[in-house]
Amino acid sequence: MSQDELERAVRETFSRQVATPRAPHDPASAVLRRAARVQRRRAVAGMSLAASAIVLVSAGAMQLGDDRPPPGADTVVIADPYPAPDRFRTSLPPPGPSTETPLAEVDLLVNRTIATAQGRRVTLIGIGAVERVHRLTDGRGWLAVGEPSLSGRSLWAVAADGTSRALLAGADEIVLDRSGRQVAWKQDRVLAAAGIVDGELTGTVRADAPATAVPLRFVDDAVLVRLDPALPGHVLWPLRPGPLDEGTDRTSQRIFGALPDGRLVGEVPAEPTEDTCLTLLDPAGLRPPDPPACGPTIEGDGLGAVSPDGRWLLVNGRVGEQDRALLVDLTRLDPTVPARTAGPAMTGTVSWSQPDVAHYADATGALVRVDVERVRAGRSAIRVTVPGLHDDQSLVVVTGG
């Protein structure tokens, strides 16, 4: 081959290589292609596992189909369908230092933030409007009861960092015991109760009850139920399944709480007058003594709370033409011993932080501190200024602790 022929052959070879398009070497594209292949393989494996899980769940649902709650109970959602990590199983102290100035001797919910009595600020996360908050005795957080709505009330377990877990939704009413370890609720004709362990409900018990029945509070290991808010009469439900035993009480007008020995502080008709008699009721049948040991006439809206030692009742009542908070000495239930005016009328929850000190919010949203010795000396309760609280913000006094 001559020199000219060799040169022509080389030129033709280069020309064909240039004319043929070739993708340049791209390391990133190669990695993406390999990742796509891996992802496709994992997707196929995941679909197989999901199909197996659906079969197992379906089989389990068929086996549990005979153990259904009473009609209406399925409208109450128990536990969060998307549970958060186990924030309630730790024994570590709450995160964050107590560096803020405490607003009061009790925890307060101001707008969406809990201001603790130790000087912490905890913003509630992932919950709706709250009407009541109860501090857990172990210091791990709070239980929050939602405001009533068209869909009912909700209950959340709030961890020490403010994150929450839904425990109940759609209930007509929700009540908690003093320690925050038990909850009772009512929905339609179903009355239910459960324990609260590590932020979860356990050991649920259900009973059939009248549609008008309303749980009011725990009394030891029973739940006080008003059979009809429009009529007198209460019953203690001993957390027993089956139809609710409605008892024989059809006279008790209102019940404000219980003494350490189990007797209930309530009102019954005072014959022969049309007044009511503040007295102590036997928990067996909710019967008053005969004759009843009557205390002063209250004539309030029924809001009240008994001190932890059972000595005092702080209750809304009438003084002349005004609604006021009254302090009653339960060791001296006699019509000749008048109730003492303690302060403005109460709204919301009442917290007895000590046997002789209580806090509540009045109609203006201000915090009121009731010192028993101060009231006994003839002086009114103190209105506590809450820094940073605006007129359009809500104030909830936290109970428990």
Side-chain angles (χ1 to χ4, degrees), residues 48-102:
S48 300
L49 291 175
S52 301
I54 291 173
V55 172
L56 291 175
V57 171
S58 301
M62 294 174 62
Q63 293 176 357
L64 295 174
D66 295 333
D67 187 19
R68 297 172 181 172
D74 54 352
T75 58
V76 176
V77 179
I78 301 177
D80 189 348
Y82 304 101
D86 290 332
R87 299 178 297 271
F88 299 88
R89 300 183 185 276
T90 177
S91 59
L92 298 176
S98 301
T99 57
E100 300 286 343
T101 301

Side-chain angles (χ1 to χ4, degrees), residues 303 344-350 359-368 395-397:
L303 181 60
M346 301 177 288
T347 61
T349 53
V350 181
H359 290 80
Y360 65 87
D362 66 10
T364 67
L367 179 65
V368 180
L395 175 67
V396 176
V397 179

Side-chain angles (χ1 to χ4, degrees), residues 138-176:
D138 58 11
R140 295 186 185 180
W142 301 265
L143 295 171
V145 178
E147 293 181 351
S149 66
L150 293 178
S151 59
R153 292 185 185 271
S154 298
L155 174 67
W156 298 275
V158 182
D161 61 357
T163 53
S164 63
R165 173 185 297 172
L167 300 183
L168 291 172
D172 296 333
E173 186 54 271
I174 297 174
V175 295
L176 302 165

